[in-house]
Amino acid sequence: MSNSSSLTEFLLLAFADTWELQLLHFSLFLGIYLAALLGNGLIITAVACDHHLHTPMYFFLLNFSLLDLGTISTTVPKSMANSLWNTRAISYLGCAAQVFLFFFLLGGEYSLLTVMAYDRYIAICKPLHYGTIMGSRACVKMAAAAWGSGFLNALLHTGNTFSIPLCKGNVVDQFFCEIPQILKLSCSDSYLREVGLSVVSLCLVFGCFVFIVVSYVQIFSAVLRIPSEQGRHKAFSMCLPHLAVVSLFVSTAVFAYLKPPSLSSPALDLVVAVLYSVVPPAVNPLIYSMRNKELKDALKRVVSWTFFSSGNIAFALHK
């Protein structure tokens, strides 16, 4: 029996018990992490450097890519380091920081997805008022509200979780510090405070989800009324990637936090956690660039400029 005041570290879930499998886990996570860094890094660079992409839609996408990078950087590098150094430990403060940053960035992402749905709704359903409603000042305020709501959400959940007495050891059955797994270590009914706070958060999440669904019902009814096939195709190519990202985000996160206890097992919890915390940041850049010609052209310019610049530097050094 150990009290939370005397805890100095937690032990995270080990992916494997042999060095070869730990190395495989390290290599797999490294590949996913590098893909996320490359994909999101290219989108951030393209949007920042290409004046054709200085529009509200791409401004929000830049913010979303920053949040994606932050989310995967909060959990994956620590797990990789633990596999490489054959350890499971994370300090008490490190665990608290991981919980705070993960909730902050994940909450910010969901708020931003809601803002992006509103942006698509105005662009397609009220195109004549788009410039007035989605001015640069309004976009900055919306993005700041998304980041701010994530910060407030993280502050409440982290403060509440780590104020609960923990007396059932220090072993967290997950590869990062996840609130449901930490609550399993609590020794009294005080964890019900966090359950109550989670219910409030879920109500807000559900409200945002209803807003996104209603926005898309109106968007698709407006798109189907567009007479030209080219116009419909352009509208769908603007909306479908966002809808795909929302679906991936919501389905995996809801299953992770709302699945019945009878379905819970260490292996399933691990797979679900990877699906909602590791896979989306690596896959989202691909989803957003797949059907978007503007973004693909901008990414090609960034890549060609990078290779051209490195080629010139190499040539200059050779001379």
Side-chain angles (χ1 to χ4, degrees):
M1 297 278 283
S2 61
N3 192 281
S4 57
S5 60
S6 62
L7 276 177
T8 57
E9 66 176 22
F10 290 94
L11 296 178
L12 299 174
L13 182 72
F15 269 81
D17 51 6
T18 65
W19 168 243
E20 290 79 13
L21 287 173
Q22 283 179 339
L23 202 59
L24 179 65
H25 155 240
F26 172 82
S27 306
L28 183 64
F29 265 31
L30 180 64
I32 294 171
Y33 187 55
L34 290 176
L37 285 180
L38 180 65
N40 287 291
L42 280 172
I43 285 179
I44 291 165
T45 307
V47 173
C49 298
D50 195 321
H51 68 277
H52 295 104
L53 303 183
H54 290 176
T55 64
M57 183 174 85
Y58 293 110
F59 169 71
F60 294 134
L61 183 57
L62 182 146
N63 277 269
F64 192 76
S65 290
L66 285 170
L67 288 164
D68 259 348
L69 277 181
T71 304
I72 198 167
S73 297
T74 301
T75 57
V76 169
K78 178 60 181 172
S79 182
M80 284 162 49
N82 279 7
S83 277
L84 202 59
W85 304 120
N86 195 26
T87 180
R88 295 169 57 195
I90 182 170
S91 69
Y92 186 87
L93 283 175
C95 188
Q98 206 174 55
V99 167
F100 174 78
L101 287 171
F102 189 70
F103 258 77
F104 166 41
L105 297 161
L106 213 64
E109 279 193 343
Y110 190 67
S111 300
L112 200 61
L113 284 171
T114 310
V115 169
M116 290 164 87
Y118 178 71
D119 172 62
R120 295 300 84 218
Y121 164 73
I122 298 297
I124 290 168
C125 298
K126 298 185 178 181
L128 298 177
H129 302 286
Y130 185 74
T132 311
I133 297 170
M134 302 301 291
S136 56
R137 187 171 291 182
C139 290
V140 169
K141 284 180 181 176
M142 287 179 196
W147 285 81
S149 64
F151 181 84
L152 186 62
N153 181 49
L155 206 61
L156 289 169
H157 281 285
T158 308
N160 205 31
T161 300
F162 286 90
S163 67
I164 294 168
L166 307 174
C167 62
K168 293 181 182 175
N170 66 340
V171 178
V172 178
D173 287 329
Q174 193 52 272
F175 74 93
F176 66 97
C177 286
E178 191 182 42
I179 286 179
Q181 302 299 335
I182 295 170
L183 292 181
K184 287 179 181 178
L185 306 177
S186 64
C187 47
S188 67
D189 288 341
S190 54
Y191 75 91
L192 291 172
R193 284 182 308 174
E194 177 56 28
V195 172
L197 191 56
S198 296
V199 168
V200 173
S201 293
L202 281 170
C203 289
L204 293 172
V205 165
F206 183 71
C208 289
F209 182 68
V210 169
F211 179 85
I212 292 169
V213 169
V214 169
S215 297
Y216 270 99
V217 167
Q218 297 195 54
I219 285 168
F220 286 133
S221 63
V223 168
L224 293 171
R225 289 198 299 270
I226 296 173
S228 72
E229 190 180 332
Q230 190 180 359
R232 284 198 300 273
H233 181 268
K234 187 178 179 183
F236 276 126
S237 68
M238 285 165 65
C239 297
L240 288 178
H242 178 255
L243 200 56
V245 169
V246 170
S247 302
L248 179 67
F249 185 96
V250 172
S251 59
T252 52
V254 164
F255 186 75
Y257 285 93
L258 294 182
K259 66 180 182 298
S262 57
L263 278 177
S264 190
S265 72
L268 183 63
D269 290 349
L270 179 62
V271 169
V272 171
V274 169
L275 282 175
Y276 87 85
S277 66
V278 178
V279 173
V283 174
N284 287 345
L286 195 63
I287 294 172
Y288 272 114
S289 59
M290 200 178 288
R291 292 174 62 91
N292 191 318
K293 190 177 184 300
E294 273 184 329
L295 188 56
K296 277 196 281 194
D297 290 344
L299 289 171
K300 282 175 189 172
R301 284 193 289 272
V302 168
V303 171
S304 60
W305 178 81
T306 305
F307 278 111
F308 180 73
S309 299
S310 59
N312 280 349
I313 291 167
F315 180 70
L317 289 172
H318 183 69
K319 283 179 73 178

